Amino acid sequence: MGKYIVRRLFLLVPVAIVVYTLTFVFIRVAPGDIVDLMLDQGGGGGTRVAAEKLRAQLHLDKPIYQQYFIYSWGLLRGDLGVSFRDGKPVSSELARRAPITLELTMMALVLALLISIPAGVVSAVKQDTPADYVSRVGAVFFLSMPSFWLALLILIFPAIWWGYSPPVVYKSLLEDPVTNLRQLLPPAFVLGSAYAGILARFTRSSLLEVLRQDYIRTARAKGLTERAVIYVHAMKNGLIPVVTMAGLQSATLLSGAVIVESIFNVPGLGNLTMGSIFQRDYAQLQANVLFFAVVVVMINLLVDLSYAWLDPRVRYS
Amino acid sequence: MRGKYLWLLILASVLLVALACAKAAPTATPTKAPVAAPSPTARPAPTVTPTPARTGKYGGTLSYAFSSPEVPHLDPLLFTPSMVHTVVGNSYSELLRLDRMTLGKNDITITPELAERWDISSDGLTITFRLNRGVKFHNLPPVNGRELTSADVKYSLERAAFNPVSLFQTTYSAVERFEAPDPYTFVIRLKRFDPDLLYLLGAHHAWIFPKEVVDQYGDLKTALVGSGPFVFERWDKDSGVFFKKNPDYFEKGLPYVNFYEHLIIRDASARITAFRTGKLCCIESVTATEREELKRTNPDVQVEKILRNLGNPAIFMRYGYPLFNDIRVRRAISLGVDFDATVRVFADGEGQPRGPVSCQNGPQWCLSQEELRSKRFYQRYDPEEAKRLLKEAGVPAGTKLEFVTAGDRPRRMMAHMDLFTEQMKAIGLDLDRKSLDYAAMRRKQDAGDYTAMLWGADGQATALAHLTQNYMTGGSKNGMQLSDPKLDEWIKRISSTVDEAKRAQEMLEIQRYILENVLWKVDLIDEYYNAMWHPWVKGWLMDAPLVNTNNGFAQAWIDR
């Protein structure tokens, strides 16, 4: 098990390198120039001399491969670079924002699981009943609803009907738990709803598959209660693909956070990423994307490890 | 004997009076700004007014979200658009202030802020300010609440006027030098008369900050220490800038509120929703449709509409480009534009066609709507005449014309570009649209690296500044790279005209000349700008167009 974890952690390195390289190349070949933007917003008279000076400062006067090596060397030393916007280390901004996004995504995950697992189980156990239909329609509805649109609906309609909208200034969970929950629950619901739709459908199909297995029939023949059959015997096996899907979909939560945080004014990594895109803040953007990639890979590792717990037959070597 | 002394006394008095009349410097506290005037459609009188008697209620937090998404940094000299100035204006002070009660009216009054009073020499070339004593910078390092003196004013204005990094150098082009003869006296010596200078000293061009902060940080991008009504607490990038009340503010009794939050809410719907539910006190840049929707759910919100010229569309034709050298082509393009349709598409139906100088600074500086649309000029929609002119100029139907526009701008700009493309097609010009991002487009515009461009014309705080920056050779907003010696000479003459009425007449005359004979740029419309605030917000008034001081929040209070 230990060896397996170490091997997987080593595999993280090439994944991170690929993600980092692609991000590095894509944002540099995309239209738009950080120097134009900085001169437009940052003074210096916008002269050619100022542009060249700024370009040299940011190493943007060098060929892309040289920029790549300069940045990679910094990365190897643990230096993610400084923000092109304010000259501060991007790692400090990352460290400040990441907990907010992690809190938001964890809330979304919990909400999604709280909704999807019971809905999927009910749907499977009560197959082809009104409860199944409601659950399936609900799942498809949330699955097909774009998160930015749902976010706007959740924001606008309570405001029109009841004059309510979430707080606009972020307070941390420790500082003001009530305000924190009031601000993060709506975006967490938006993020979690599509996720819940997928998981509910997966739970349903996976559980239906398991419920037709011989060992379930045996359990019932032994006289076990239906509750024991479902919760003790069926769900443990039925949840393995659900856990896989939950891990894979975690990336959706993080990418959804980019839009949803902007709409709900949550100052997390998603909001920062959006700002970095608008401002062509290459260093901050690269650091954020790299962070997202590492988080997704780590979640997938945790998902793989959870198989052993869910299915004793699975052994890692 | 007594009669002899009496006669001597009378003679001496007469002489003294005569001497005083001959040499007395005009004292200007307060004075009328040279450019202010009512917008052609009268601005409604504000329903809430700040009272000098400090009758407002104390406490609470005001939250405001500006329409622009980003605050790139906090150094006001490195950024001309409003998003930085409306933030830092809460913490900085200036020598003078434009009285918010008179903004947008015919008589903007310049009132003292850091200056207690000021005197202008009879030749208009020396302005002497006496500063208020006991004004303190915020109690933040590195100044820790020390007194503000004329040395700080001199340092701040020298950075604005002479430092190459400053984007406001042209504001001070008439300045020869600044002097600080004693801690409470500050003198500006001018090379030539400048009718705009006092106004601009009260706008967002002259923030006063301590030298120590620049010395410590190298610039003001992340540090904000001033003497204004609010003390900077923190800047959360992409989220907001947060302030608390300055307990030592030199205007006793202000500000009323304990905290001020300048939030960044990118999404327009989210911003409006936050306003609708009272999370924001006030909101600006509201379209007509949004305003009416808001009034349906919040019928008692206060609304103020003023005409503005900020980023409104204009057609830039690069000076010297062969096709445009024939004025008939330029006239044809202008005639091909349906200005009323532009108002509908771009300004949600609330705006009006405009000439070379916006009417935002008052009707005496701009041509009337009747004159603009008259047969004499080309600001009227006449596609048939446009086709005839193009044919006469030898431009065949279907001629391709490269037009650059920004692809990352608001939807209305894109919608207007679609409309404009159709309008040009109707007169026989086939636009080859190149969509660039904002910064790249600005660079192209500044470098004259384009053929033609449909883009928002940058506004200026005064009518004369607009003329100078847009039409003089080398002007900072002369995006068409125009260089016309006759115009240059004319604008210089207007700038040195002391008599305001005469200057206004000359301004109108030069605009007629531009519309008839220049037309390298076709300004399309001015739009009405909506500001809204809740009835429980008292004392707040929005800034005048292109005056981004934003310290109106110092006088605002909460009553609910």
Side-chain angles (χ1 to χ4, degrees), chain A residues 126-190:
Chain A
K126 309 275 183 192
Q127 194 185 3
D128 294 333
T129 63
D132 181 25
Y133 297 143
V134 168
S135 168
R136 282 159 68 185
V137 168
V140 172
F141 175 77
F142 284 116
L143 188 58
S144 52
M145 183 101 76
S147 60
F148 69 89
W149 191 64
L150 184 62
L152 287 177
L153 292 187
I154 285 185
L155 206 57
I156 291 169
F157 281 103
I160 291 173
W161 292 333
W162 308 302
Y164 176 80
S165 68
V168 285
V169 178
Y170 176 77
K171 300 281 180 197
S172 74
L173 195 58
L174 294 176
E175 191 186 355
D176 185 346
V178 175
T179 305
N180 178 276
L181 291 177
R182 280 175 60 211
Q183 189 178 31
L184 293 192
L185 271 174
F189 175 76
V190 171

Side-chain angles (χ1 to χ4, degrees), chain B residues 157-410:
Chain B
L157 296 193
E158 280 179 346
R159 185 172 185 257
F162 307 130
N163 193 316
V165 302
S166 168
L167 296 178
F168 291 90
Q169 289 179 75
T170 51
T171 299
Y172 301 94
S173 59
V175 173
E176 187 185 348
R177 64 180 186 278
F178 301 112
E179 294 170 3
D182 67 63
Y184 304 106
T185 307
F186 175 70
V187 182
I188 300 179
R189 298 208 185 274
L190 301 174
K191 293 178 276 193
R192 54 179 166 77
F193 173 71
D194 182 352
D196 281 350
L197 187 63
L198 283 182
Y199 182 91
L200 295 175
L201 287 177
H204 59 276
H205 301 239
W207 303 114
I208 308 302
F209 41 84
K211 179 174 182 291
E212 296 95 311
V213 176
V214 182
D215 287 345
Q216 182 167 331
Y217 297 99
D219 54 39
L220 300 170
K221 284 185 173 178
T222 53
L224 180 49
V225 182
S227 55
F230 293 100
V231 179
F232 173 63
E233 279 197 312
R234 70 180 197 281
W235 170 29
D236 288 345
K237 257 193 280 185
D238 312 310
S239 177
V241 187
F242 300 85
F243 300 88
K244 64 180 178 189
K245 175 178 184 160
N246 176 10
D248 302 318
Y249 187 46
F250 60 89
E251 289 195 55
K252 296 300 168 205
L254 294 180
Y256 289 109
V257 294
N258 292 336
F259 299 97
Y260 169 67
E261 300 168 341
H262 190 103
L263 304 176
I264 297 160
I265 304 180
R266 280 198 195 89
D267 188 84
S269 307
R271 199 167 54 245
I272 287 170
T273 299
F275 174 72
R276 195 192 300 274
T277 55
K279 298 285 188 303
L280 301 177
C281 69
C282 340
I283 191 168
E284 294 180 40
S285 289
V286 180
T287 66
T289 309
E290 290 164 346
R291 182 192 65 221
E292 294 312 309
E293 279 172 11
L294 272 170
K295 285 180 83 174
R296 265 205 295 278
T297 53
N298 304 61
D300 51 356
V301 290
Q302 310 290 303
V303 183
E304 189 169 11
K305 274 171 68 179
I306 58 170
L307 200 66
R308 76 166 183 180
N309 153 45
L310 178 60
N312 296 340
I315 302 163
F316 293 85
M317 292 169 259
R318 185 165 60 79
Y319 183 65
Y321 184 74
L323 180 69
F324 302 135
N325 279 338
D326 189 329
I327 193 165
R328 289 172 296 189
V329 176
R330 306 198 302 268
R331 287 172 176 169
I333 288 175
S334 185
L335 285 170
V337 175
D338 183 345
F339 288 78
D340 293 325
T342 302
V343 168
R344 282 197 300 277
V345 170
F346 188 85
D348 212 3
E350 296 193 342
Q352 62 184 39
R354 58 165 286 195
V357 170
S358 163
C359 290
Q360 71 171 17
N361 296 108
Q364 73 270 43
W365 306 105
C366 67
L367 298 173
S368 70
Q369 289 295 301
E370 295 72 32
E371 187 173 357
L372 260 184
R373 290 168 183 258
S374 70
K375 286 270 183 189
R376 180 179 172 186
F377 304 126
Y378 305 89
Q379 309 288 100
R380 60 201 148 82
Y381 183 43
D382 191 345
E384 291 310 312
E385 176 67 2
K387 278 194 269 192
R388 192 189 66 75
L389 283 173
L390 285 176
K391 196 174 171 189
E392 215 175 88
V395 180
T399 295
K400 275 211 172 298
L401 189 56
E402 187 185 282
F403 246 87
V404 176
T405 194
D408 60 347
R409 289 292 102 182

Side-chain angles (χ1 to χ4, degrees), chain A residues 36 41 97 165 265 271, chain B residues 73 237 264 266 277 443:
Chain A
D36 285 343
Q41 298 184 342
R97 305 291 192 99
S165 68
N265 207 36
N271 212 343
Chain B
H73 54 73
K237 257 193 280 185
I264 297 160
R266 280 198 195 89
T277 55
R443 183 174 54 76

